């Protein structure tokens, strides 16, 4: 209740931002070195909603934006809107289906072949499905898209981010979009094989499980980056409560009035703010660090999930043991 009242009142937190801060306001005041050195950001799920607003806001600050999209036509329309707002913006479009491990691998290889640096990776895409569906890899669609696809994307691009940070001296940043409803998942409902192949499917539960997985992923990768002494951070963000409180599933993607404008501010803050320098493995809400659930903070659970996912992907893509 306290957090809800804070949100509705628009009270700012220690960062100087709050629920009423827009993505453009945050990107304008928080961007670091953007005016003096071009950054490159990959943003998934950028053809609509939060992702589109994030892409527009960071492109306006001079960031080169790479948009991997399933619907290239919609991506081209977004590119046109960004270029209309900022004629000097550099926007690169690529094809990807995040629910397909083969497609994610193909995109990563195509991007790496471009020889571009990579400073920012925003794992923004997310779906919500009321009915049980499976990906081409035969995994539950929500978990495959929201978590497995982004896990592989991060794994294949993280060395490029470390390399870019070493060459430029600019800290790389990975942002996983999560949700406050990750806290609805108890330990008894978080079993890897059951999430891949659920028997009694519930759309809200599947979505919450995938969002808990994105936080645990950030926690584990943060530990690994620290062990490597890499100048790259990874954090999870909740985009904020939608003012209308109304969500609608349109072709499987979660959208809602005001969601894209208000929700994108936290992604921009964690991607660009100097206040977040060196912070890794954290969880942010409304541009401020917040506590996540006890399960989301469980290091052993995070490590277990990472190992299980790694083994699964190795078997599926490379036919090799973990």
């Amino acid at each position: 209740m306290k957090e809800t009242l804070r949100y509705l009142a628009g009270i700012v937190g220690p960062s100087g931002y709050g629920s009423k801060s827009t993505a453009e306001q945050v990107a304008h005041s928080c961007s670091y070195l953007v005016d003096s050195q071009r950054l490159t950001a990959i943003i998934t799920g950028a053809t609509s909603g939060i992702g589109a607003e994030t892409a527009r806001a960071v492109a306006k600050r001079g960031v080169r934006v790479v948009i991997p999209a399933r619907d290239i036509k919609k991506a081209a329309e977004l590119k046109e809107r960004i270029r209309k707002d900022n004629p000097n913006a550099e926007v690169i479009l690529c094809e990807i289906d995040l629910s397909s491990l083969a497609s994610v691998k193909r995109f990563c290889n195509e991007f790496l072949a471009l020889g571009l640096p990579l400073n920012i990776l925003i794992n923004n895409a997310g779906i919500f499905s009321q009915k049980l569906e499976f990906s081409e890899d035969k995994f539950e669609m929500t978990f495959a898209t929201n978590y497995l696809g982004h896990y592989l994307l991060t794994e294949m691009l993280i060395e490029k981010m470390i390399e870019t940070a070493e060459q430029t001296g600019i800290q790389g940043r990975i942002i996983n979009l999560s949700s406050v409803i990750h806290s609805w998942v108890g330990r008894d409902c978080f079993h890897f094989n059951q999430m891949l192949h659920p028997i009694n499917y519930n759309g809200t539960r599947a979505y919450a499980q995938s969002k808990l997985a994105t936080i645990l992923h950030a926690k584990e990768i943060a530990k690994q980056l620290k062990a490597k002494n890499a100048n790259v951070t990874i954090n999870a963000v909740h985009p904020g409560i939608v003012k209308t409180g109304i969500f609608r599933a349109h072709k499987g993607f979660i959208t809602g009035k005001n969601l894209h404008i208000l929700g994108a501010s936290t992604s921009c803050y964690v991607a660009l703010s100097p206040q977040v320098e060196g912070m890794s493995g954290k969880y942010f809400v409304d541009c401020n660090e917040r506590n996540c659930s006890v399960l989301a903070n469980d290091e052993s659970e995070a490590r277990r999930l990472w190992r299980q996912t790694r083994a699964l992907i190795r078997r599926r893509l490379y036919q090799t043991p973990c």
Side-chain angles (χ1 to χ4, degrees):
M1 176 62 75
K2 183 179 179 181
E3 290 299 323
T4 302
L5 292 174
R6 174 183 287 274
Y7 171 83
L8 294 173
I11 299 172
V12 300
S15 68
Y17 303 98
S19 62
K20 292 187 177 180
S21 301
T22 67
E24 190 165 333
Q25 289 170 344
V26 171
H28 177 74
S29 58
C30 285
S31 54
Y32 70 114
L33 300 179
V34 175
D35 295 326
S36 60
Q37 190 168 357
R38 181 177 288 277
L39 304 179
T40 300
I42 292 176
I43 306 172
T44 67
T47 55
S48 63
I50 296 171
E53 179 62 16
T54 302
R56 189 193 68 79
V58 299
K60 197 168 185 178
R61 301 307 306 153
V63 177
R64 178 195 290 120
V65 178
V66 179
I67 299 176
R70 184 173 56 177
D71 189 332
I72 291 296
K73 182 180 178 181
K74 287 183 67 177
E77 292 170 354
L78 172 64
K79 179 178 179 178
E80 185 177 341
R81 293 197 300 272
I82 291 175
R83 292 294 298 275
K84 184 176 181 180
D85 192 36
N86 178 16
N88 295 321
E90 185 176 355
V91 181
I92 299 171
L93 308 182
C94 299
E95 190 171 357
I96 195 174
D97 177 356
L98 275 163
S99 72
S100 163
L101 297 176
S103 178
V104 174
K105 181 182 178 182
R106 185 164 52 249
F107 161 74
C108 290
N109 288 333
E110 290 174 356
F111 172 78
L112 293 172
L114 295 176
L116 294 173
L118 182 58
N119 308 91
I120 300 166
L121 172 61
I122 302 180
N123 292 321
N124 169 84
I127 68 167
F128 176 91
S129 180
Q130 291 283 8
K131 62 180 181 178
L132 177 60
E133 298 177 287
F134 290 96
S135 69
E136 69 175 34
D137 297 303
K138 304 297 186 288
F139 304 136
E140 191 278 312
M141 186 66 79
T142 301
F143 195 68
T145 304
N146 297 3
Y147 170 66
L148 294 178
H150 285 127
Y151 175 103
L152 179 59
L153 187 72
T154 303
E155 181 180 76
M156 292 192 66
L157 297 178
I158 201 164
E159 289 303 321
K160 169 56 70 174
M161 296 192 70
I162 293 172
E163 175 188 297
T164 300
E166 289 176 347
Q167 293 174 348
T168 64
I170 301 173
Q171 185 175 85
R173 300 190 180 182
I174 304 169
I175 295 93
N176 284 356
L177 253 74
S178 184
S179 169
V180 69
I181 72 168
H182 79 271
S183 62
W184 296 3
V185 181
R187 197 176 299 274
D188 59 334
C189 292
F190 196 74
H191 301 287
F192 191 67
N193 289 332
Q194 290 180 16
M195 291 186 288
L196 293 174
H197 307 107
I199 298 174
N200 298 312
Y201 181 77
N202 177 283
T204 300
R205 181 176 59 213
Y207 183 76
Q209 289 168 331
S210 73
K211 292 305 178 178
L212 171 59
T214 64
I215 299 179
L216 291 168
H217 176 241
K219 298 281 186 181
E220 175 60 25
I221 298 302
K223 284 183 62 179
Q224 295 182 18
L225 288 167
K226 183 178 180 180
K228 292 180 179 180
N229 199 30
N231 189 22
V232 177
T233 63
I234 179 169
N235 292 287
V237 305
H238 165 64
I241 305 167
V242 183
K243 276 195 171 182
T244 59
I246 298 172
F247 286 90
R248 59 186 175 89
H250 176 61
K251 293 182 180 179
F253 283 83
I254 287 183
T255 58
K257 186 178 180 182
N258 295 329
L259 175 64
H260 63 292
I261 297 175
L262 297 174
S265 59
T266 306
S267 294
C268 290
Y269 174 75
V270 179
L272 298 173
S273 174
Q275 295 179 359
V276 188
E277 185 81 16
M279 297 179 71
S280 196
K282 307 298 183 183
Y283 174 65
F284 290 83
V285 178
D286 293 332
C287 303
N288 289 276
E289 185 183 353
R290 293 283 190 269
N291 293 324
C292 51
S293 72
V294 172
L295 184 55
N297 270 319
D298 189 322
E299 293 185 1
S300 63
E301 191 68 54
R303 183 66 175 175
R304 182 183 304 110
L305 177 64
W306 178 83
R307 283 178 170 170
Q308 290 173 316
T309 309
R310 184 175 185 270
L312 175 75
I313 289 175
R314 290 292 182 276
R315 291 194 303 269
R316 180 68 56 168
L317 285 184
Y318 308 109
Q319 287 78 49
T320 59
C322 60

